[in-house]
Amino acid sequence: MKVLMIGWELPPFNSGGLGVACFYLAKELNKKIDLTFTLPIKLPIKQTPFKVLFTETEYQKLEGYFSRYYPISNDILDLIFTYAERILKSYKEKPDIIHGHDWFSAPAVYLLQEFYKVNGFIHVHSTEVERTSNNPHPVIYQIEKEYFQKINYLLPVSDLTKEILIKAYQINEKKIFTLPNGFEWIRNNYQIADYLENLKKDGWQIVLFVGRLTLQKGPDYLIKAIPLIKTKLPKTKFVFVGSGDMFPQLVSLAYDLKVSQDIIFTSFLREEKLFGIYKSADVLVVPSVADPFGLVPLEGLNNDLPILISKTTGVGYYLNHILKFDFWDIKEMANKIIGLLKYEKMKNEYLSNSQKEAKEKFCWSKTANQLISIYNKCLQ
């Protein structure tokens, strides 16, 4: 089977989990099928375990390219709407399947499915409705709605996103196949920052948030819970790893709640530094307002960190041994955090059970096999 996979980013040139998911899915698929992964601009990626086709020969820096959020520049829109044409100039074969990722690739997937007369798929890692807490950018929403309806099949990463596709985008349920992400369960090298090491030596406990500082990820709800947690556990620090347009608002909120001294903002981190913070923390909190899947909870479990997630975090739809809360219920969130921080034996038992279940359910090989089954079903 020959698959042309239309992407937007790959690590280390990625803005978040999209590039990571694309990399591991393509890596696993390439063991089983003939896969070519395209990128719209030239990036200095040295080596990948699958074929990568750049549609440009020279790297050009475009404002907004590595951001899935605003502003949406004319250059980015031009890149999106000329993507198919530039692929056709470089790709000289006929694929059996066209598989794109998120709205960036949607116009290209549609044009290529029509050109080659083959099935097109859009892998929906998130929708604009989810990313903006139901306040979508009109241009992005219109692109998604128009092309999601035109493309043959959609692959949302959770049933949460599937329901949004049906209700907010009027997509026929018969063309939707839910495909959960996998995960690479490996031991990562890590580097613990001195300031965190010193805090731990002095007996401080650390509550961790990892993600974009945006409405979708709900960091403000965790900040609102801090005063409640501090009344019971005064020796607690809160580390926020990530960047985003909410940063000024979060700083202002922390000041108003008089918890600025309890918070550490690190900005966006990768690899050893990020894994070092996972290793230093006592609990990871994921208070997302609407997260289609969420690789961060699995990263936490992979680094032996107990997790709390909102009921609107997609990965939780697949897990039973996991503590959940309504993102808006500050008291419930605070109580669960306090419980895990106070009771070590309970925390360790909970971590063991949630790790075991997650490792059984999330594996990129399983995801790749499920995807190939979907391909075969749609080729009949």
Side-chain angles (χ1 to χ4, degrees):
M1 186 186 298
K2 198 182 294 291
V3 174
L4 179 62
M5 185 166 282
I6 303 174
W8 189 258
E9 61 180 31
L10 288 174
F13 304 96
N14 61 299
S15 61
L18 173 67
V20 175
C22 287
F23 177 85
Y24 284 110
L25 177 62
K27 176 184 175 183
E28 199 61 40
L29 278 175
N30 194 56
K31 297 175 184 177
K32 310 167 191 291
I33 61 173
D34 181 358
L35 182 137
T36 301
F37 191 100
T38 74
L39 286 169
I41 65 173
K42 177 72 173 178
L43 295 173
I45 296 173
K46 294 180 180 178
Q47 190 174 2
T48 56
F50 46 85
K51 291 180 289 187
V52 175
L53 174 67
F54 301 106
T55 64
E56 297 291 337
T57 56
E58 294 184 8
Y59 173 61
Q60 55 179 133
K61 190 172 183 180
L62 295 175
E63 183 180 354
Y65 180 78
F66 290 116
S67 172
R68 305 176 76 188
Y69 296 90
Y70 320 125
I72 303 300
S73 68
N74 288 332
D75 285 342
I76 295 298
L77 290 174
D78 181 65
L79 197 64
I80 289 167
F81 284 102
T82 61
Y83 199 177
E85 180 183 346
R86 288 179 291 108
I87 288 172
L88 287 171
K89 290 179 181 177
S90 309
Y91 186 74
K92 302 303 181 184
E93 306 172 63
K94 181 181 178 181
D96 301 301
I97 296 285
I98 309 290
H99 181 143
H101 294 275
D102 271 358
W103 72 276
F104 312 105
S105 69
V109 170
Y110 172 68
L111 290 169
L112 292 173
Q113 85 175 16
E114 297 302 298
F115 178 84
Y116 288 116
K117 304 299 180 188
V118 298
N119 280 323
F121 292 78
I122 279 289
H123 205 136
V124 187
H125 298 266
S126 67
T127 65
E128 181 67 3
V129 169
E130 293 164 300
R131 290 188 294 268
T132 61
S133 300
N134 204 26
N135 186 30
H137 188 294
V139 174
I140 299 174
Y141 175 74
Q142 185 57 40
I143 292 171
E144 286 184 334
K145 186 173 182 180
E146 178 182 347
Y147 287 98
F148 287 1
Q149 290 180 352
K150 288 179 176 179
I151 290 165
N152 298 136
Y153 299 103
L154 303 185
L155 303 167
V157 294
S158 69
D159 287 335
L160 179 68
T161 302
K162 176 182 176 178
E163 290 304 310
I164 290 172
L165 289 172
I166 294 169
K167 294 175 182 177
Y169 292 83
Q170 290 80 56
I171 304 298
N172 186 337
E173 185 175 0
K174 293 180 179 179
K175 60 185 266 183
I176 301 176
F177 297 90
T178 301
L179 183 71
N181 285 326
F183 193 77
E184 185 90 339
W185 299 98
I186 57 174
R187 288 296 171 188
N188 300 301
N189 295 324
Y190 59 91
Q191 177 185 339
I192 297 179
D194 291 341
Y195 68 91
L196 292 178
E197 201 163 13
N198 291 333
L199 283 172
K200 299 297 288 184
K201 286 179 181 177
D202 289 340
W204 288 82
Q205 292 181 294
I206 295 171
V207 176
L208 178 62
F209 170 95
V210 177
R212 291 183 299 276
L213 304 181
T214 61
L215 285 171
Q216 180 193 9
K217 301 297 183 179
D220 49 326
Y221 292 100
L222 177 55
I223 290 179
K224 290 175 184 176
I226 292 176
L228 299 175
I229 298 165
K230 294 289 288 186
T231 59
K232 300 292 185 181
L233 297 171
K235 211 163 185 183
T236 307
K237 291 287 185 184
F238 299 80
V239 178
F240 287 74
V241 178
S243 58
D245 56 16
M246 276 190 80
F247 177 66
Q249 179 183 335
L250 297 176
V251 172
S252 178
L253 177 62
Y255 177 81
D256 291 342
L257 295 175
K258 298 180 173 56
V259 295
S260 298
Q261 70 279 6
D262 302 309
I263 298 174
I264 299 168
F265 291 103
T266 71
S267 193
F268 185 78
L269 297 176
R270 294 183 185 275
E271 304 298 332
E272 286 89 352
K273 290 182 179 179
L274 173 59
F275 301 139
I277 292 184
Y278 278 128
K279 288 292 184 182
S280 304
D282 295 282
V283 61
L284 171 69
V285 182
V286 183
S288 297
V289 174
D291 201 334
F293 187 80
L295 289 173
V296 165
L298 300 182
E299 286 184 354
L301 292 176
N302 190 46
N303 286 280
D304 301 319
L305 183 58
I307 62 173
L308 294 169
I309 68 171
S310 68
K311 294 175 182 176
T312 41
T313 298
V315 70
Y317 278 55
Y318 304 98
L319 297 173
N320 299 311
H321 297 288
I322 209 81
L323 288 172
K324 304 170 190 175
F325 57 90
D326 292 302
F327 69 86
W328 45 263
D329 194 335
I330 306 305
K331 288 184 180 179
E332 183 188 10
M333 186 198 315
N335 286 337
K336 284 183 163 65
I337 293 170
I338 291 166
L340 286 178
L341 292 179
K342 281 186 71 173
Y343 303 107
E344 187 75 17
K345 187 174 181 180
M346 180 186 78
K347 183 178 80 170
N348 292 337
E349 183 72 16
Y350 168 63
L351 173 61
S352 175
N353 290 337
S354 54
Q355 278 182 322
K356 181 180 178 182
E357 184 184 19
K359 288 179 179 179
E360 288 173 353
K361 290 185 174 178
F362 299 111
C363 167
W364 282 115
S365 179
K366 287 183 180 178
T367 301
N369 287 337
Q370 185 179 345
L371 177 56
I372 290 171
S373 294
I374 294 170
Y375 286 160
N376 286 327
K377 180 178 180 180
C378 296
L379 283 172
Q380 292 175 1

